[in-house]
Amino acid sequence: MAKDSDYGAFIEKFVLQPSPSAHELPLNSLTFAVKDIYDVDGYVTGFRNPDWARTHPAATSTAPAVLSVLRAGATCIGKTVMDEMACSIEGENIHYGTPRNPCAPDRIPGGSSSGSAVAVAAKLVDFALGTDTGGSVRVPASYCGILGFRPSHDVVSTTGVIPVAQSFDSMGWFARDPVILNRVGRVLMQLPDVDPVNPSQIIIAEDCFQLSAIPSDRVTEPLFKSVNKLFGGDLVKHAILGDYVNEKVPSLKQFMTEETADQEYNIPSLAALSSAMRLLQWYELKKNHGEWVSTVKPDLGPAISERICKAVRTTDENVDVCHSVRTELRAALNALLGDCGVLAIPTVLEPPPKLQCDPISLEALSVRAFSLLSIAGLSGFCQVSIPLGLYDNLPVSISLLAKHGSDGFLLNLVESLYKNIQEEVGIAEKKGY
């Protein structure tokens, strides 16, 4: 069970002090926590599996991303719980407990950066570092009702971070305040403070919102009204993303199956994207850790064990096609959005499932979630999950994506929109919607 004092978010408490001149720095007086996948000098990076911790020595250096925020004036107060080997988006860990979701205590917090998200949502820290390979920042941000940012792939160093699948591995961070989210991003990406640039268009992926368990208007209206107020409603466009991807990403045909063609529960082309992403992730996970798994035979939770076994059995068949899908998808989305365009999708399709949910149902929810999560995963685009209050007493969110390298633009946009979005959410909630 999660410990009440810290919501079970922390695996280890310690203090890393900022630079001596912290009072002049951008993250002065802020506190943060670090997912237990980042190296911190003198501490074992546990990957939240006891056999991993037992078979690996303490780190002899600190990950550059952690050093960056320390040098910018922030204070680290400890390491956070995560799913074993970062192989889940649920947030449950049989060895170390499940961090308690402050937004919905009877629901899972989302993973694999569960402890980092919970630490922020519970106001234990101002921000927290996580990682996102398949959705491990975006999902817990949504489930815990906070902001979560996955930067463009490879723009922030992942040195000193245990690799999962390098084609997708991305550090990421959580905050409750869009100003802090922006400041942390500018430190990590060494971006100058610049005036915000207005978006050229906001494209709402109609088919994705129609799949959501939340009424689409409840999710899109706060965004539309905020954009209308700040930039004018003519910026908002609508698209059937699945059809566009199907037309513009021909390599996806290799991943079209009877299962992905089930139109009632998914969008076939996005389900195929998800299949391509998972194949490449399993292949790279095997290359990174297959030998350790085969040698150590670690004690893993049932769901994690099944996923690791799938990875270990993965061959290189169709891996080249996965890379073609990546190239085609990035080109297609660049063409769709143009300069300073933004794509709006649900972060996830359902509210957070209950704790100790039936494993088969949980796996089905994960498969559906990956159809959306794979859009940024395969394209390498940056994505932010924005909380939209509660619907039926459960957290709701929306995600905005921008092209690779547009991180500063997207962070500024969120900061500009956030207050108006929350005001519109408040109006919707008062109407009982």
Side-chain angles (χ1 to χ4, degrees):
M1 288 296 291
K3 293 172 285 189
D4 283 342
S5 60
D6 64 6
Y7 289 76
F10 286 90
I11 199 71
E12 198 166 7
K13 292 277 194 74
F14 51 78
V15 175
L16 300 179
Q17 296 289 354
S19 162
S21 58
H23 64 282
E24 300 168 357
L25 297 171
L27 304 183
N28 169 40
S29 79
L30 299 181
T31 57
F32 74 101
V34 179
K35 181 178 182 176
D36 191 28
I37 196 170
Y38 287 85
D39 285 348
V40 174
D41 188 12
Y43 296 87
V44 174
T45 310
F47 217 11
R48 271 319 93 203
N49 173 270
D51 290 315
W52 182 279
R54 175 178 60 80
T55 56
H56 289 80
T60 56
S61 60
T62 298
V66 179
L67 289 175
S68 292
V69 291
L70 285 169
R71 288 170 182 154
T75 300
C76 180
I77 66 167
K79 279 198 170 190
T80 55
V81 174
M82 58 177 279
D83 291 76
E84 295 179 85
M85 298 182 71
C87 281
S88 172
I89 56 169
E90 282 100 49
E92 299 178 293
N93 188 310
I94 66 163
H95 305 290
Y96 300 98
T98 300
R100 185 156 52 91
N101 186 337
C103 200
D106 65 333
R107 305 286 170 144
I108 63 173
S112 63
S113 308
S114 53
S116 289
V118 166
V120 170
K123 302 182 180 178
L124 304 175
V125 291
D126 296 301
F127 69 94
L129 303 186
T131 57
D132 189 313
T133 299
S136 292
V137 164
R138 293 164 286 168
V139 172
S142 179
Y143 285 179
C144 292
I146 56 175
L147 291 154
F149 196 90
R150 175 195 162 101
S152 301
H153 185 250
D154 262 356
V155 301
V156 182
S157 171
T158 52
T159 300
V161 181
I162 299 173
V164 179
Q166 287 92 327
S167 291
F168 303 92
D169 288 347
S170 178
M171 68 85 58
W173 59 99
F174 304 93
R176 299 180 303 278
D177 180 338
V179 176
I180 292 175
L181 189 84
N182 196 349
R183 266 196 231 156
V184 171
R186 291 186 179 280
V187 165
L188 287 166
M189 292 180 276
Q190 300 179 318
L191 298 172
D193 286 328
V194 294
D195 290 334
V197 175
N198 288 356
S200 56
Q201 57 179 338
I202 309 269
I203 297 178
I204 293 178
E206 288 284 351
D207 49 341
C208 297
F209 286 102
Q210 286 164 9
L211 272 188
S212 175
I214 311 298
S216 60
D217 286 355
R218 171 62 180 82
V219 185
T220 58
E221 280 295 304
L223 174 67
F224 174 75
K225 288 179 177 177
S226 301
V227 169
N228 187 36
K229 194 181 292 183
L230 287 177
F231 309 115
D234 57 340
L235 255 62
V236 177
K237 316 290 183 190
H238 299 267
I240 305 301
L241 186 64
D243 289 353
Y244 181 79
V245 168
N246 186 51
E247 179 189 346
K248 300 293 184 181
V249 188
S251 295
L252 269 184
K253 288 180 176 59
Q254 294 275 358
F255 298 96
M256 293 287 192
T257 64
E258 285 184 21
E259 192 177 332
T260 60
D262 180 358
Q263 304 227 20
E264 185 179 354
Y265 297 107
N266 65 30
I267 297 165
S269 60
L270 300 190
L273 268 188
S274 172
S275 297
M277 180 177 80
R278 297 306 292 274
L279 171 63
L280 190 50
Q281 284 182 347
W282 291 148
Y283 177 70
E284 293 183 353
L285 178 66
K286 174 185 177 178
K287 287 179 70 176
N288 288 322
H289 305 305
E291 185 179 343
W292 178 81
V293 169
S294 301
T295 304
V296 174
K297 297 179 172 55
D299 178 19
L300 298 164
I304 304 295
S305 179
E306 189 177 328
R307 289 165 193 161
I308 296 295
C309 285
K310 279 183 185 175
V312 169
R313 291 196 299 266
T314 301
T315 69
D316 61 1
E317 184 182 1
N318 280 337
V319 163
D320 287 346
V321 186
C322 294
H323 290 292
S324 298
V325 169
R326 289 172 63 93
T327 302
E328 291 168 6
L329 179 66
R330 185 181 289 194
L333 292 179
N334 279 337
L336 177 68
L337 296 181
D339 288 335
C340 300
V342 172
L343 178 66
I345 61 171
T347 308
V348 290
L349 291 170
E350 286 94 359
K354 288 189 173 180
L355 290 162
Q356 298 171 334
C357 181
D358 163 46
I360 295 172
S361 301
L362 212 52
E363 185 63 25
L365 289 175
S366 293
V367 168
R368 277 165 54 76
F370 281 121
S371 67
L372 297 179
L373 297 166
S374 61
I375 298 167
L378 274 162
S379 66
F381 278 29
C382 48
Q383 179 174 343
V384 62
S385 181
I386 303 171
L388 298 177
L390 303 177
Y391 177 79
D392 278 349
N393 290 318
L394 293 172
V396 181
S397 68
I398 193 169
S399 269
L400 303 180
L401 289 78
K403 70 179 186 180
H404 188 278
S406 297
D407 304 73
F409 156 73
L410 188 58
L411 285 164
N412 277 340
L413 179 62
V414 174
E415 189 175 332
S416 299
L417 284 171
Y418 191 79
K419 184 181 177 184
N420 281 308
I421 287 176
Q422 299 313 310
E423 286 172 358
E424 294 298 335
V425 166
I427 292 168
E429 288 181 335
K430 281 179 183 173
K431 291 178 178 174
Y433 191 32

